[in-house]
Amino acid sequence: MTGFVAEGVERVRREAPLVHNVTNLVAMTLSANVLIAAGASPIMSAAPEEAGELAALSGALVVNMGTLTRDWVEGAEAAVAGARTAGKPWVLDPVGAGATAYRREIAARLLAGRPRIVRGNASEILALERGASGGKGVDSTAGSDAAAEAAMALASRARAVVAVTGAVDLVTDGSRTFRIANGHPLLTRTTASGCALTALIGAWAAVLPDPLEATAGAIAAYGIAAERAAEIAQGCGSFVAALLDALGSLDGPTAARLARIA
Ligand code: ATP
Ligand code: MG
Ligand code: MG
C-alpha cells in the first residue's frame, strides 16, 4: 500500500530531478532548501525571457502565486507553456486564491493551463472551485474536510490531482482519494511550509508516473520529517533546521513504515 512512498523517497534522491520554481519571494529559500534536502535540484526563475526554456529542461515545474506582480504572471505563463509543449508535469500552488479578485482571476487563468497537480489549503481550494472569497490572507479559515467536495469537483473539472492540506491532508483525482495523517502543527508556525511542500511534490511528480501517488507520497514524507523534527526542535526556528535535517536523512523503508495514508 505504501510501497510508492519508499519508491518516491529513493528515486528523488537517486535521480535528483531538476525542478523549476516560479515561486514567491517569501518561499524561495525554504523551497530550494527542501528540494535540496530531499535530493532534488532546484532552479528558481520567473523571468519571462527564459521561463519557458527552463520549464522544458526540467523534470517538473512548480508555479506558486504567493507574491503576484504583472511580470511574475508573464513568467508563470511562459513557464506553463514551456512545460506543456515539452510534456512535463506542472504543479500549481494557488496561494491566497480567495483573498482578492486579482488572485482569483490569475488562479483561474493558470488553471486553464492544465496543471497535473493543484495543492492548496482548504480556503484556497474552495476559492478555486466555487469562485468565492475566503481565508485569512494566505491562511485557511476552513478545515480540509470542509473542502473535500470542492476538491473532488475541481479534480474532475480540471482533470488534475487536487491536494487539500491541513491537520489531515486529502488528495484526490476525482475518483480515488487518499487521506494522510502525518504532519505537525509547528508547520503552521513556519512561513512557506506549504509552498515548500508544493515544491517537493514537484520533485516527486518528476520521478513517479502516477500524480496521485506522487502527491500523497510527498505529503506523507514531508509530514513524517516534520514529526521527527518536532521531537528535537526547541521552537519554530530550530524546527525549520530540524525539518531539513530530517528530510535529508529520511530513507525509503522508514518513510513507508511511518506513512499514515488511508
Ligand atoms: P503556507 O502558509 O506555507 O502557505 P498552506 O496554508 O498553503 O501553507 P498548510 O495547509 O498549512 O499549507 O499545509 C502545510 C503543511 O502543514 C502540510 O504538510 C500540512 O500537512 C501541514 N499541516 C497544516 N496544518 C497542520 C496541523 N494542524 N497539524 C499537522 N500538520 C499540519
Ligand atoms: Mg498554512
Ligand atoms: Mg500556502
Side-chain angles (χ1 to χ4, degrees):
M1 164 74 198
T2 52
F4 64 90
V5 180
E7 189 188 345
V9 168
E10 283 163 8
R11 285 187 65 179
V12 169
R13 198 164 286 135
R14 193 170 63 237
E15 297 173 30
L18 183 64
V19 181
H20 177 207
N21 297 265
V22 180
T23 191
N24 71 72
L25 298 169
V26 183
M28 203 86 77
T29 308
L30 187 62
S31 298
N33 277 333
V34 159
L35 284 168
I36 293 166
S41 193
I43 180 158
M44 331 302 279
S45 171
E49 295 81 357
E50 64 172 10
E53 202 180 337
L54 284 176
L57 283 174
S58 301
L61 165 69
V62 176
V63 172
N64 174 306
M65 37 179 267
T67 49
L68 276 189
T69 62
R70 238 172 274 157
D71 281 353
W72 179 96
V73 173
E74 207 187 311
E77 292 191 319
V80 167
R84 285 185 72 177
T85 304
K88 301 296 173 64
W90 78 272
V91 189
L92 173 64
D93 190 329
V95 181
T100 64
Y102 182 50
R103 282 180 193 254
R104 282 193 291 284
E105 178 204 324
I106 300 303
R109 242 158 77 184
L110 288 169
L111 203 59
R114 298 287 316 273
R116 197 163 297 177
I117 299 161
V118 180
R119 198 287 318 163
N121 62 39
S123 289
E124 289 159 351
I125 298 304
L126 283 165
L128 262 192
E129 180 53 22
R130 311 233 164 109
S133 59
K136 181 182 176 191
V138 300
D139 288 332
S140 186
T141 48
S144 51
D145 274 332
E149 259 178 49
M152 289 181 68
L154 179 62
S156 302
R157 176 167 71 88
R159 283 182 287 158
V161 165
V162 175
V164 190
T165 53
V168 172
D169 310 294
L170 189 146
V171 182
T172 183
D173 62 6
S175 52
R176 293 179 299 164
T177 299
F178 286 135
R179 279 187 167 71
I180 301 131
N182 296 105
H184 195 278
L186 272 170
L187 284 169
T188 65
R189 311 288 306 152
T190 304
T191 191
S193 67
C195 307
L197 168 60
T198 307
L200 184 64
I201 291 170
W204 281 59
V207 299
L208 293 186
D210 179 347
L212 190 73
E213 292 188 350
T215 307
I219 292 173
Y222 192 72
I224 290 163
E227 289 163 14
R228 301 184 117 194
E231 281 171 20
I232 54 168
Q234 309 290 307
C236 321
S238 50
F239 173 72
V240 177
L243 176 64
L244 295 173
D245 290 347
L247 275 170
S249 63
L250 187 63
D251 62 78
T254 306
R257 180 169 53 80
L258 298 177
R260 293 200 298 276
I261 302 179

